[in-house]
Structure formats: structure tokens, C-alpha cells
């Protein structure tokens, strides 16, 4: 019986250490990538503000050719939404809504994931004139991993996992606009 008590005490101590570590660890993540496109800022901004166009260069939208997508609202305006449904785990079910537009500069959106897990995040795409007909495009996603799940944040490698998809999406955008 003494061995069982010792094992139980050790397990409780390990659990307590994990929960304390999770309490002090960061819960927020912010991932950004950027690329320079050889097109004027107006051309780039007007293209990326459209949710339909975003599905043309997004890595996630292109993972499932059978993905069902519906749109509501006036595309490219605040309040417009793109909702998707896919059986591909990396795509899942969710929606994106434009929440704010700063003309020629930035589009902010809310991301609501429903499957395979419920989560919310915010994202943005910004455009900035670099020189002449060159535009720097930034794409970012920010979110929160709730306690105690945030203990897994360092192991999830969010910057690499999401960042690689953002970068590939920006490369797709560059290819599409520079054709």
C-alpha cells in the first residue's frame, strides 16, 4: 500500500508542476509573414480584400478541391463572410469575416473554427508601397491557446506550422498577381 501512495504523490506532484508551468507560460501566439509583389498597392489591396480571391491563393483553401464554400455579404466589405466545410482535417469547418478595412493599407478579419476543434483567432493582411510599383504584403494571424492547453504551445511550433502556410499563400499570391 505504501508504494501506491508514493506513486500517487509523485503523480500529483507532476500534475501540479505541469499546471503551474502552464499558468506562467504565454497563452498568446502571433505569426506574420511578408512578401514583396511587383504590382502597385491599389492593385494588390483591391485583390486581397476579396474573400473569394483569398481562396485562390490560400494554402488551406487549396488543400481540398471538394471543399464547400459559401459567401455572405458584399465581398470585400466589412461584414462579408466566407464559410467553409471540408472533411480534410487540416481544413475543417469554419468561417472568416472581414471586421475592419483601412483603405489601401489593411484588412482585419475574425476567424472562427468549428471543426475539428472550436477556436477563434484574428488575422490581417496589410499592404504598403515599397517603391514605385512594388507592394509589401504582410499576412498575420493571432490567437490564444487557453489554460492549461497552452502548455503545448512550445511543442506545437505554431510559428513554423502556420507560418509556412502563410508564406506559401503569399508566394501563391505573388505568382498570381505577377503573371
Amino acid at each position: 500500500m505504501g508504494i501506491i501512495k508514493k506513486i500517487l504523490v509523485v503523480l500529483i506532484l507532476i500534475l501540479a508542476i505541469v499546471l503551474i508551468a502552464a499558468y506562467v507560460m504565454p497563452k498568446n501566439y502571433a505569426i506574420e509573414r511578408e512578401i514583396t509583389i511587383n504590382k502597385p498597392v491599389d492593385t494588390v489591396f483591391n485583390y486581397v480584400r476579396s474573400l473569394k480571391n483569398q481562396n485562390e491563393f490560400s494554402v488551406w483553401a487549396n488543400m481540398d478541391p471538394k471543399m464547400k464554400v459559401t459567401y455572405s455579404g458584399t465581398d470585400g466589405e466589412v461584414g462579408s463572410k466566407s464559410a467553409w466545410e471540408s472533411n480534410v482535417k487540416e481544413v475543417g469547418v469554419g468561417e472568416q469575416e472581414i471586421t475592419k478595412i483601412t483603405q489601401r493599407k489593411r484588412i482585419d478579419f475574425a476567424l472562427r473554427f468549428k471543426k475539428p476543434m472550436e477556436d477563434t483567432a484574428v488575422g490581417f493582411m496589410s499592404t504598403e508601397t515599397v517603391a514605385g510599383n512594388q507592394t509589401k504584403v504582410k499576412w498575420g494571424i493571432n490567437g490564444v491557446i487557453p489554460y492549461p492547453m497552452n502548455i503545448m504551445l512550445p511543442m506545437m511550433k505554431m510559428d513554423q506550422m502556420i507560418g509556412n502556410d502563410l508564406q506559401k499563400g503569399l508566394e501563391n499570391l505573388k505568382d498570381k498577381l505577377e503573371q
Side-chain angles (χ1 to χ4, degrees), residues 60-69 83-94 114-116:
W60 301 290
N62 290 300
M63 283 182 184
D64 181 7
K66 295 178 183 178
M67 177 177 70
K68 180 183 172 194
V69 181
W84 66 88
E85 292 181 36
S86 171
N87 291 325
V88 174
K89 181 183 170 197
E90 292 80 11
V91 180
V93 177
K114 299 173 184 174
K115 287 184 184 177

Side-chain angles (χ1 to χ4, degrees), residues 12-28 145-155:
I12 291 171
L13 284 173
I14 291 171
L15 180 61
I17 290 169
V18 168
L19 291 174
I20 291 168
Y23 185 76
V24 297
M25 288 185 73
K27 295 169 188 66
N28 300 324
I145 305 288
Y147 172 84
M149 297 304 291
N150 64 312
I151 192 75
M152 296 179 358
L153 198 56
M155 294 171 277

